[in-house]
Amino acid sequence: MAHVRAFFDPRTYTLTYVVWDPDTRDAVVIDPVLDYDPAASRTWTESVDEVSAFIRANALSLRYVLETHAHADHLSASQILRRRFDAKVVIGARITEVQDVFKGVFDLGAGFAADGSQFDRLLADGEVLEAGALRVETIATPGHTPACVTYRIGDAIFTGDALFMDDYGTGRCDFPRGSAAALFDSVKKLYGLPDETRVFVGHDYQPDGREVRFETTIGKSKTNNPQLRASTTKEEFVRFREERDATLAAPRLLLPSVQVNVAAGRMPAARENGHRYLNIPINLMHPADELGEPTPKK
Ligand SMILES: [Fe+2]
C-alpha cells in the first residue's frame, strides 16, 4: 500500500501530499505550494522546503509532481521540485482550455502557447502514469475547472478541489468554464469507487475552527457530505452550488496564482530592467472607465 504524508499550508488552507512506495521509495508530490505575499509581491519557499526535507530525510526518489488543476488560491512550487529532484510536472490534458481563457485575460501574447507544452506531460481521462513502482490512474473530474483531475494510487484518491471533507462539501464552480453540473457528474463518478477508498482532499477550510482534517472515505462522503451525498439529485446540487458561488468573494491570490500556474509554476520572463512582473487586469469582471468609474454593462 502506498504511504501518504500530508503537509498543510495554513495561509491558503492547501494540502500537499507526498505519496511513496515503501519498498522502492519511488514517490510523487501532489499540489506543492510556493509561498507568496501579495502585498509585498514576494515569494519564498518555506512550504516546499518542508516537503523537500521530508523527501531527503526518507531517501525518496521523486518521480513526478502531480497538479490536480491550475490552482486559483496559491502559486505552485512544482518547478522548484522539478529543479531540486529532477522530477517531471504533469496536469490534466484539458489544461489547454484553461490556458486558452487566461492567455487572453492576462494578455500573455504570442510567446505563450496554449498547448500545455509548459508541462512535461498531459494526462487524459483514464490514462495511467507509471511513477517508478507507483501506478497513478488519472480520473477526469471537471467542474471546479474543466481541467481538474483526481489521481488514484492504490486504495487512495487525491481529489483536488472536486470533493472536500465529509463535513464540508465540494469545490466552487464559478471560475471560467467551471460547471456545477459537471462537478456533480464528477463526484458521482468518484462515488462509484469502493466505499473503503481513502479520499485525500485538496483543501481543508477548518469549518467552525475544528482541527485540520484531510482524509475521509468514499463511503463516509456518500453518507455525510452536506452538499453532495449519494441521495442528492443533480438539480438540488446545481441549485445549491450556483447560489452559494454567487456569494463567494474572489480568492485572495486569484490573479497571481492563475497567471503563474497556467505557465506550470514559472514566473513571467524578466523585463529589460531585470524585474519580473505579473499582468493584473483592472475591473475585469466589473467594467469601468479610465478613471475607475463603473460603466453600465453592455
Ligand atoms: Fe482550486
Side-chain angles (χ1 to χ4, degrees), residues 173-237:
C173 294
D174 57 336
F175 297 140
R177 302 200 194 168
S179 162
L183 184 61
F184 179 87
D185 293 340
S186 294
V187 172
K188 291 299 258 193
K189 182 157 67 165
L190 298 180
Y191 283 178
L193 295 170
D195 278 353
E196 59 275 19
T197 304
R198 295 187 292 161
V199 172
F200 293 91
V201 301
H203 292 285
D204 184 61
Y205 296 103
Q206 302 185 263
D208 301 322
R210 69 146 166 70
E211 81 287 2
V212 175
R213 291 181 60 213
F214 52 82
E215 180 180 356
T216 180
T217 66
I218 288 294
K220 285 182 195 161
S221 300
K222 280 160 69 176
T223 308
N224 301 332
N225 192 296
Q227 298 175 2
L228 207 179
R229 61 192 82 195
S231 60
T232 306
T233 68
K234 192 170 194 169
E235 291 67 30
E236 283 170 345
F237 177 72

Side-chain angles (χ1 to χ4, degrees), residues 7 47-57 80-81 84-85:
F7 296 82
S47 296
V48 72
D49 288 348
E50 203 186 338
V51 172
S52 300
F54 181 84
I55 291 169
R56 292 193 182 104
I80 290 181
L81 290 173
R84 288 179 180 174
F85 296 100

